[in-house]
Amino acid sequence: EQELEWLRPALAASVPRSELAAAKVEARTAGENAAAHFREAEVLSGRLAQALDEGVASRAECEALRSEGARLRAEGMELRERLAASEAEAEAARRRADDAREAERRREAEGDTRCAALRGEAARVGDKLQALEEERTSLVDRHALDSAEATVSDL
């Protein structure tokens, strides 16, 4: 307003007072509107700053979650590898157990075969022993008979 003071006399002479009053009111209203807009802009600026702070916090939270996700993925991969190793180890143990059972079955079959062969051999030996025993008895009886005959002939 002070800057426009030098124009006042010229304007007063050429512009009617009512128009000047209306222009003053309009200028005052425009100033008030500008102040209101400025206050609204300050409020919006505060909201924007808050939103930016929240955005930065959200971004930091997102980064933390990304980092945690990466850590969990790495841990999951490690667990998958350990599981695969455990499964391979279990499969190897199953194969060893199957092989051991098969070897035991073969040993039992061999043992059964050998046992049957030994039983057959024992039966043959028993039959031979029986035959030898019968032959011995026959020889003993014949010897006794021969001895008796010799004794009788000596008499």
Side-chain angles (χ1 to χ4, degrees), residues 106-124:
R106 279 193 307 268
R107 279 193 299 274
E108 284 179 5
E110 271 181 29
D112 290 348
T113 302
R114 288 166 86 198
C115 202
L118 288 173
R119 274 193 221 110
E121 184 67 25
R124 281 190 298 280

Side-chain angles (χ1 to χ4, degrees), residues 23-40:
K24 251 186 186 182
V25 168
E26 194 175 313
R28 194 174 291 130
T29 302
E32 289 171 359
N33 286 341
H37 285 302
F38 182 75
R39 284 189 301 274
E40 188 176 334

Side-chain angles (χ1 to χ4, degrees), residues 81-96:
E81 289 170 2
R82 286 173 45 198
L83 175 62
S86 292
E87 287 174 343
E89 190 176 314
E91 182 58 31
R94 263 192 298 278
R95 282 194 303 271
R96 286 192 304 271

Side-chain angles (χ1 to χ4, degrees), residues 41-142:
E42 283 183 336
V43 168
L44 290 176
S45 176
R47 286 185 186 163
L48 177 61
Q50 181 182 359
L52 286 174
D53 288 346
E54 288 174 2
V56 167
S58 293
R59 174 174 264 159
E61 187 177 339
C62 285
E63 287 301 319
L65 289 173
R66 254 191 223 115
S67 175
E68 179 68 10
R71 184 188 69 75
L72 289 173
R73 274 191 299 281
E75 191 175 308
M77 293 292 283
E78 180 184 332
L79 289 173
R80 269 192 227 126
E81 289 170 2
R82 286 173 45 198
L83 175 62
S86 292
E87 287 174 343
E89 190 176 314
E91 182 58 31
R94 263 192 298 278
R95 282 194 303 271
R96 286 192 304 271
D98 289 346
D99 292 348
R101 281 192 291 275
E102 179 61 24
E104 181 63 26
R105 188 196 61 74
R106 279 193 307 268
R107 279 193 299 274
E108 284 179 5
E110 271 181 29
D112 290 348
T113 302
R114 288 166 86 198
C115 202
L118 288 173
R119 274 193 221 110
E121 184 67 25
R124 281 190 298 280
V125 167
D127 291 346
K128 262 188 176 178
L129 276 174
Q130 182 68 31
L132 288 172
E133 184 62 33
E134 288 173 4
E135 189 178 328
R136 186 187 71 76
T137 304
S138 170
L139 286 174
V140 167
D141 289 345
R142 188 176 301 144

